[in-house]
């Protein structure tokens, strides 16, 4: 069925991959209009010359270098023909405003950057006569530079350093960057030891091949771990459980031992002191308070340990479910190996969008109406009136489209996992389940993804605004305001995480039933509430196992890095490459294991739906893997000669035990 409407079935029977229809079509149209607006901003910056001014540069009179210009009202020396002057030259390139991050100098369009150092005004005159490139203001004739009184204000600061034009952007930049030392000192403070910084940078440059090799090793280890984690998850989970139980028992025992020891010592001290003096001891109250505090800690630890042991007892099957889900997730990656490439596609899409976004943002910085600065007399381009809201629109686009790309990844993975789970015969899986999932997403469910990502955007924007306000007021606000800001930021962060988890399950429900976002979110929420303890177990134990997996990858990569860099005996030379490699290894492990986490969450939702709507009888057979069937062993009672017994044998033989009694009693499966 094509995208002609958003009609839903009146009753959802959880029959996956059937009756596919478009979902949240109005949101798809809204997102399309938003994208048109983003493209319109880019087109506006290009049409109004912002892109040209960024690439070709412009002088302090509003003229764009390398082309003819229209005169600007009220600005002298505007409207000049700079067809032959294609480079931007700054009279004082080393005068940098660190706060505003820009050069505070008059800019001119010149035909050639100075190819050598010019120490005197006679050198400026000679360079202008030979090369035809006048480095002073346009109204000053080149052959009169040494005699003009205006040369101190409208000519470059001496000596003029040798410069080269930047590729693409045509700015004359000094070859010797020593004039930027003040700027670099403000940006990089490294205990005022330039030799240390130089040695670290040299260590990175000398070890670049090893760094690349170690990064590839982290990539390979992450992909291997996603496949083998199903074999080691059981060991990790039970080791974690044992450590938690033993740690709780040990901590409680130590607290009781400290309390008893302190109490005995206190009694001996009291008896001895009372024999020596008849007056009460002033410190006796303090000693009793200490003992009382230890007693409270010991009792609290005992209560906590008791609750923990009860939880472990009652949730042992749910822990086993987490292990089984990890086992099945490993099988998913074996049957769908292209899932491991999803982080690459997502990173590529995000990188391309971020490059485009930054490019348009730079265009916006040189777009607008020319305004003359009364203090400096220089011309600057600024967005005024309603046009200044384009920057805010562009900022919202960064968040919404980024979240949209991440949501597309979640929907793609969910669609592929749903196809795998609800296909009984795994040999009959589609040739390319990932491509099929992408096509279903593009054809039917882009509106759902747009709506889910917009909800996350609505929560993220206020949090970012509050974080900006908190940083701006740092050291100025009182303690109460600081506490309130941090509380609001924390609450919004928690809300964003909860909505992200709910959105992910809503996408899985949409992949199954082809329902709109709100309906899918409600259905997924009801399923999760009915399995709240299982959800809590999977999200705690499972997340910790994945965290251990990340630490394992970082540790292995760091160990290999130490061995590879060991021949560089100077510690300071290879510590920075090792830090870079470890950070990259953690980032790669996080990206890959996040895909694994999505697979586990989608498998659990499918398992919960399967156990709720199926019971193993003919017509309602389970879809789940055998590893999960052992965790769901229904008890069914039929007369021993009931015909359904024979039909259930193929289904039940793999998951449940059958006990037969005499022919007149019941058979329990």
């Amino acid at each position: 069925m094509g995208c002609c409407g958003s009609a839903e079935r009146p009753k959802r029977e959880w029959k996956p991959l059937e009756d596919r229809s478009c979902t949240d079509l109005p949101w798809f149209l809204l997102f399309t209009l938003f994208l048109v607006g983003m493209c319109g901003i880019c087109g506006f910056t290009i049409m109004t010359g912002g892109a040209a001014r960024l690439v070709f540069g412009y002088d302090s009179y509003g003229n764009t270098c390398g082309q003819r210009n229209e005169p600007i009202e009220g600005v002298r020396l505007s409207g000049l023909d700079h067809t032959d002057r294609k480079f931007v030259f700054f009279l004082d390139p080393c005068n940098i405003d660190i706060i505003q991050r820009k050069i505070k100098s008059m800019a001119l369009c010149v035909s050639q950057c100075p190819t050598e150092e010019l120490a005197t005004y006679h050198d400026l005159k000679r360079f202008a006569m030979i090369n035809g490139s006048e480095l002073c203001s346009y109204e000053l004739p080149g052959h009169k530079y040494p005699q003009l009184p205006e040369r101190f204000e409208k000519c470059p600061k001496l000596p003029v350093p040798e410069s080269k034009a930047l590729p693409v952007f045509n700015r004359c930049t000094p070859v010797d960057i020593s004039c930027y030392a003040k700027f670099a000192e403000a940006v990089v403070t490294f205990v005022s030891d330039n030799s240390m910084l130089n040695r670290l940078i040299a260590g990175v440059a000398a070890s670049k091949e090893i760094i690349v090799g170690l990064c590839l090793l982290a990539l390979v280890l992450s992909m291997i771990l996603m496949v083998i984690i199903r074999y080691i998850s059981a060991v990790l989970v039970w080791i974690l459980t044992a450590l938690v139980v033993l740690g709780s028992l040990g901590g409680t025992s130590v607290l009781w031992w400290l309390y008893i020891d302190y109490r005995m010592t206190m009694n001996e001290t009291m008896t001895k002191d009372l024999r020596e003096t008849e007056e009460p001891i002033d410190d006796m109250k303090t000693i009793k308070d200490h003992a009382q505090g230890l007693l409270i800690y010991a009792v609290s630890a005992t209560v906590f340990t008791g609750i923990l042991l009860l939880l472990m007892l009652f949730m042992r099957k749910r822990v086993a479910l987490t292990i089984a889900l990890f086992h099945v997730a490993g099988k998913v990656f074996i049957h769908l190996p292209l899932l491991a490439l999803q982080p690459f596609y997502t990173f590529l899409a995000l990188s391309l969008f971020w490059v485009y976004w930054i490019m348009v943002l730079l265009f916006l910085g040189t777009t607008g109406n020319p305004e003359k600065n009364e203090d400096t007399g220089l011309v600057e381009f600024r967005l005024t009136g309603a046009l200044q809201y384009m920057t805010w629109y562009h900022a919202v686009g960064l968040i919404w489209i980024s979240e949209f790309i991440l949501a597309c990844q979640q929907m793609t993975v969910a669609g592929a996992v749903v196809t795998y789970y609800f296909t009984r015969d795994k040999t009959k899986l589609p040739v390319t389940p990932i491509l099929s999932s992408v096509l279903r997403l593009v054809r039917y469910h882009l509106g759902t993804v747009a709506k889910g990502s917009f909800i996350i955007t609505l929560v993220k924007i206020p949090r970012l605004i509050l974080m900006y306000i908190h940083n701006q007021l740092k050291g100025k606000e009182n303690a109460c305001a600081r506490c309130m800001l941090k509380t609001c930021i924390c609450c919004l962060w928690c809300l964003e995480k909860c909505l992200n988890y709910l959105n992910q399950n809503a996408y899985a429900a949409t992949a199954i039933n082809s329902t709109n976002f709100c309906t899918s979110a409600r259905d997924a929420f009801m399923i999760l509430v009915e399995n709240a303890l299982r959800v809590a177990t999977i999200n705690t134990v499972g997340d910790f196992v994945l965290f251990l997996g990340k630490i394992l990858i970082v540790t292995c990569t760091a160990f290999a890095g130490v061995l590879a860099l060991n021949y560089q005996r100077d510690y300071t030379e290879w510590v920075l490459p090792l830090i870079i490699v470890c950070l990259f290894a953690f980032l790669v492990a996080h990206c890959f294991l996040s895909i694994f986490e999505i697979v586990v969450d989608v498998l659990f939702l499918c398992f919960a739906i399967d156990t709720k709507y199926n019971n193993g009888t003919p017509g309602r057979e389970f879809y789940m893997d055998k590893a999960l069937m052992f965790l769901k062993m229904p008890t069914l009672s039929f007369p021993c000669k009931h015909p359904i017994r024979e039909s259930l044998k193929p289904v039940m033989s793999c998951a449940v035990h059958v006990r037969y009694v005499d022919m007149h009693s019941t058979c329990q499966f």
Side-chain angles (χ1 to χ4, degrees):
M1 170 183 274
C3 280
C4 54
S6 304
E8 299 178 17
R9 292 185 297 275
K11 180 181 179 181
R12 288 174 301 283
E13 300 178 356
W14 294 97
K15 292 183 178 180
L17 311 181
E18 296 179 7
D19 298 337
R20 193 62 56 177
S21 61
C22 288
T23 56
D24 297 294
L25 193 57
W27 280 93
F28 170 72
L29 298 176
L30 177 63
F31 185 71
T32 303
L33 291 176
F34 185 84
L35 291 180
V36 171
M38 292 286 290
C39 296
I41 292 177
C42 180
F44 175 80
T45 59
I46 295 175
M47 294 298 295
T48 55
R53 282 190 286 270
L54 175 68
V55 175
F56 300 114
Y58 61 97
D59 62 16
S60 297
Y61 305 105
N63 301 300
T64 302
C65 300
Q67 65 183 37
R68 295 178 179 271
N69 296 275
E70 298 293 332
I72 301 173
E73 184 178 355
V75 179
R76 65 183 186 87
L77 299 178
S78 63
L80 301 180
D81 183 2
H82 285 333
T83 306
D84 297 328
R85 298 176 177 179
K86 299 181 179 180
F87 302 100
V88 179
F89 175 74
F90 297 97
L91 300 189
D92 187 6
C94 298
N95 185 8
I96 299 174
D97 187 348
I98 298 176
I99 304 300
Q100 298 295 329
R101 297 178 294 278
K102 64 180 181 180
I103 298 176
K104 294 173 59 179
S105 169
M106 177 182 290
L108 300 174
C109 294
V110 297
S111 58
Q112 183 179 343
C113 299
T115 55
E116 58 182 350
E117 183 177 275
L118 306 177
T120 64
Y121 291 106
H122 290 282
D123 293 337
L124 290 177
K125 172 185 175 181
R126 177 174 53 82
F127 182 78
M129 294 296 101
I130 296 176
N131 300 293
S133 182
E134 299 178 348
L135 302 182
C136 294
S137 187
Y138 304 132
E139 71 270 23
L140 303 183
H143 63 281
K144 294 184 179 180
Y145 283 169
Q147 295 83 27
L148 294 174
E150 299 94 337
R151 65 183 184 276
F152 300 106
E153 297 179 358
K154 298 184 179 182
C155 285
K157 182 179 179 181
L158 299 178
V160 179
E162 179 187 354
S163 302
K164 285 187 177 180
L166 285 176
V168 180
F169 292 101
N170 301 325
R171 267 73 169 179
C172 294
T173 307
V175 176
D176 183 9
I177 60 173
S178 60
C179 68
Y180 299 132
K182 183 178 179 181
F183 178 72
E185 182 181 351
V187 177
V188 181
T189 55
F190 198 79
V191 295
S192 301
D193 190 354
N194 292 329
S195 63
M196 177 72 72
L197 181 61
N198 292 333
R199 291 171 65 188
L200 289 174
I201 296 175
V204 173
S207 309
K208 55 182 180 297
E209 294 85 1
I210 299 177
I211 293 175
V212 173
L214 292 173
C215 291
L216 292 176
L217 175 64
L219 192 64
V220 173
L221 289 176
S222 299
M223 299 178 69
I224 293 175
L225 182 62
M226 287 197 301
V227 177
I228 68 171
I229 197 171
R230 64 178 178 139
Y231 300 110
I232 64 175
S233 59
V235 177
L236 293 177
V237 168
W238 292 120
I239 288 177
L240 168 64
T241 304
L243 289 176
V244 171
V245 172
L246 292 176
S248 301
L249 291 174
T252 303
S253 302
V254 168
L255 285 174
W256 279 112
W257 178 79
L258 289 174
Y259 170 72
I260 294 172
D261 182 69
Y262 195 86
R263 189 77 179 182
M264 293 175 63
T265 305
M266 183 183 67
N267 291 336
E268 292 176 0
T269 304
M270 289 178 59
T271 304
K272 181 179 179 181
D273 291 342
L274 287 175
R275 289 176 181 175
E276 295 178 356
T277 180
E278 297 179 356
E279 298 181 358
I281 307 298
D282 294 336
D283 295 336
M284 194 60 63
K285 186 175 183 301
T286 303
I287 296 175
K288 289 183 178 180
D289 289 341
H290 289 169
Q292 189 71 19
L294 279 174
L295 178 62
I296 292 174
Y297 295 148
V299 171
S300 301
T302 303
V303 173
F304 172 79
T305 302
I307 294 174
L308 182 63
L309 292 176
L310 289 175
L311 286 174
M312 291 293 182
L313 179 64
F314 289 109
M315 297 180 66
R316 64 187 186 279
K317 289 186 178 180
R318 295 176 177 84
V319 173
L321 172 62
T322 304
I323 298 173
L325 286 173
F326 273 62
H327 182 80
V328 178
K331 289 184 179 180
V332 171
F333 281 96
I334 292 176
H335 285 89
L336 310 177
L338 291 181
L339 274 180
L341 300 180
Q342 286 302 304
F344 292 107
Y345 302 145
T346 304
F347 179 76
L348 179 61
L350 286 173
S351 300
L352 292 176
F353 169 68
W354 289 340
V355 169
Y356 165 81
W357 188 87
I358 293 173
M359 180 185 69
V360 176
L361 182 66
L362 294 175
F363 289 170
L364 283 172
T366 54
T367 301
N369 300 318
E371 291 185 358
K372 186 177 180 180
N373 191 317
E374 298 299 334
D375 297 330
T376 62
L378 307 180
V379 174
E380 299 176 354
F381 291 88
R382 295 178 180 176
L383 293 171
T384 57
L387 296 179
Q388 60 186 336
Y389 295 107
M390 288 196 301
T391 305
W392 290 101
Y393 188 97
H394 194 60
V396 172
L398 172 66
I399 301 174
W400 190 3
I401 297 176
S402 298
E403 292 295 332
F404 178 83
I405 294 173
L406 294 174
C408 286
Q409 173 186 267
Q410 294 176 351
M411 178 69 88
T412 300
V413 174
V417 175
V418 164
T419 301
Y420 171 85
Y421 186 95
F422 288 104
T423 301
R424 299 186 189 279
D425 187 357
K426 306 306 180 188
T427 60
K428 296 182 179 179
L429 284 169
V431 179
T432 54
I434 304 295
L435 181 59
S436 300
S437 180
V438 172
L439 293 177
R440 285 197 302 270
L441 166 64
V442 174
R443 186 176 181 185
Y444 298 110
H445 304 310
L446 285 178
T448 298
V449 172
K451 186 174 183 179
S453 57
F454 181 76
I455 292 174
I456 300 298
T457 303
L458 287 181
V459 179
K460 181 166 287 188
I461 289 177
R463 181 172 67 85
L464 294 177
I465 293 175
L466 290 178
M467 290 176 63
Y468 174 78
I469 294 175
H470 180 262
N471 290 329
Q472 292 297 314
L473 297 180
K474 186 173 292 184
K476 301 178 182 179
E477 79 280 14
N478 56 37
C480 181
R482 182 168 59 252
C483 180
M484 290 180 62
L485 277 174
K486 289 184 176 180
T487 302
C488 293
I489 293 172
C490 182
C491 291
L492 288 173
W493 181 83
C494 294
L495 178 60
E496 181 183 337
K497 294 300 178 183
C498 293
L499 288 175
N500 265 320
Y501 182 73
L502 182 60
N503 280 8
Q504 179 180 301
N505 286 277
Y507 299 148
T510 298
I512 297 173
N513 266 340
S514 190
T515 50
N516 62 36
F517 178 82
C518 291
T519 303
S520 299
R522 182 188 63 201
D523 293 342
F525 180 76
M526 296 304 297
I527 294 291
L528 295 176
V529 169
E530 293 172 359
N531 297 270
L533 290 179
R534 289 174 171 175
V535 172
T537 305
I538 293 171
N539 284 324
T540 52
V541 179
D543 288 352
F544 187 79
V545 171
L546 294 178
F547 175 75
L548 291 180
K550 297 173 187 178
I551 297 301
L552 177 64
I553 292 173
V554 174
T555 304
C556 293
T557 307
F559 180 72
V562 171
L563 295 179
L565 296 167
N566 188 42
Y567 70 91
Q568 297 181 8
R569 296 299 179 184
D570 194 342
Y571 174 79
T572 57
E573 289 184 4
W574 57 262
V575 63
L576 185 58
L578 195 61
I579 292 174
I580 294 173
V581 167
C582 289
L583 291 176
F584 181 82
F586 185 83
L587 177 63
V588 170
H590 175 74
C591 292
F592 278 90
L593 292 181
S594 295
I595 297 295
F596 192 91
E597 184 179 3
I598 295 174
V599 171
V600 171
D601 289 337
V602 175
L603 282 174
F604 171 72
L605 184 67
C606 295
F607 170 78
I609 293 169
D610 197 10
T611 55
K612 180 177 180 180
Y613 292 95
N614 298 309
N615 57 14
T617 59
R620 297 179 64 185
E621 295 87 354
F622 290 120
Y623 289 93
M624 66 186 69
D625 189 90
K626 290 182 180 180
L628 296 173
M629 276 192 177
F630 284 106
L631 301 173
K632 183 64 180 176
M633 297 172 60
T635 301
L636 302 175
S637 298
F638 296 99
C640 279
K641 289 191 174 182
H642 197 283
I644 201 173
R645 178 173 65 85
E646 298 297 328
S647 63
L648 284 176
K649 281 185 178 180
V651 179
M652 294 298 186
S653 60
C654 62
V656 300
H657 303 285
V658 182
R659 180 168 58 87
Y660 300 103
V661 291
D662 60 80
M663 61 182 298
H664 298 291
S665 61
T666 32
C667 272
Q668 293 185 346
F669 296 86

